[in-house]
Amino acid sequence: MKKAISSLLAVCAVMLTVLLSGCGENGKMLSYIEIDGKKISCRMDMAEVLDAFSDYEYEYSETISCAYNGLDKIYDFADKGFIVYTYPDGDKDYVLEVAVSSDKISQQDGKVKVGMSGDEVKALYGEDFSQQGETMTYTVKDEQTMYFLLVDGVVAEYAISVAE
């Protein structure tokens, strides 16, 4: 009887572990990037971002959009360690991607940051990701992804992006 109960408890523990590890913290995937208490999300009007970060210096560049009608614009807040990529829609520009490359910017109470290991990413978000080269990509929601660029197994950049 003791052996049956022990076996049942072991099976339950394994099932619970599989259930929880499969989910990771998928419900807590990055749907926005927070920098100095200000949130940037995909599809956000870039005018709002520029207003929120009006005290920050940035380098601006643009290129003819391959996917949209108009110009893709890039706002590189190099001193702060993040870049915002936009896409045009009519007379407005919207956030396509926010990429963070500074270890001074963290998300989710410091759990997500440049310098964390790929194993730490997996512990947070599970094994349900696609990998191309050194980039781990997770589906977030609403046609949005988040990715982690690894160099030698360590996160060098993380981002949220509109899924292609």
Side-chain angles (χ1 to χ4, degrees), residues 42-43 96 139-146 161-164:
C42 291
R43 296 182 183 85
L96 176 70
T139 300
V140 178
K141 64 174 186 150
D142 300 328
E143 298 177 356
Q144 182 177 315
T145 61
M146 68 179 186
S161 183
V162 173
E164 295 181 22

Side-chain angles (χ1 to χ4, degrees), residues 39-163:
K39 296 177 182 178
I40 308 173
S41 59
C42 291
R43 296 182 183 85
M44 183 176 183
D45 187 333
M46 188 60 193
E48 293 177 36
V49 175
L50 291 173
D51 186 48
F53 293 94
S54 61
D55 294 343
Y56 291 30
E57 291 185 21
Y58 61 87
E59 290 185 25
Y60 170 83
S61 59
E62 59 188 37
T63 185
I64 295 172
S65 181
C66 297
Y68 302 94
N69 187 16
L71 297 172
D72 292 334
K73 298 172 183 164
I74 302 166
Y75 298 84
D76 186 349
F77 296 84
D79 291 347
K80 296 294 183 178
F82 69 100
I83 299 174
V84 180
Y85 300 88
T86 69
Y87 65 93
D89 187 8
D91 61 348
K92 292 187 175 193
D93 294 307
Y94 297 93
V95 174
L96 176 70
E97 180 176 304
V98 183
V100 175
S101 59
S102 171
D103 61 357
K104 292 179 177 43
I105 301 171
S106 65
Q107 308 302 309
Q108 297 180 336
D109 297 323
K111 293 178 190 171
V112 177
K113 60 189 173 223
V114 167
M116 67 190 296
S117 71
D119 289 338
E120 288 174 304
V121 173
K122 290 178 198 174
L124 274 174
Y125 300 115
E127 300 283 339
D128 190 17
F129 63 90
S130 62
Q131 186 155 1
Q132 189 170 30
E134 293 296 309
T135 304
M136 300 167 63
T137 303
Y138 290 87
T139 300
V140 178
K141 64 174 186 150
D142 300 328
E143 298 177 356
Q144 182 177 315
T145 61
M146 68 179 186
Y147 71 79
F148 297 86
L149 173 63
L150 304 177
V151 175
D152 297 328
V154 175
V155 173
E157 178 180 278
Y158 63 89
I160 58 170
S161 183
V162 173

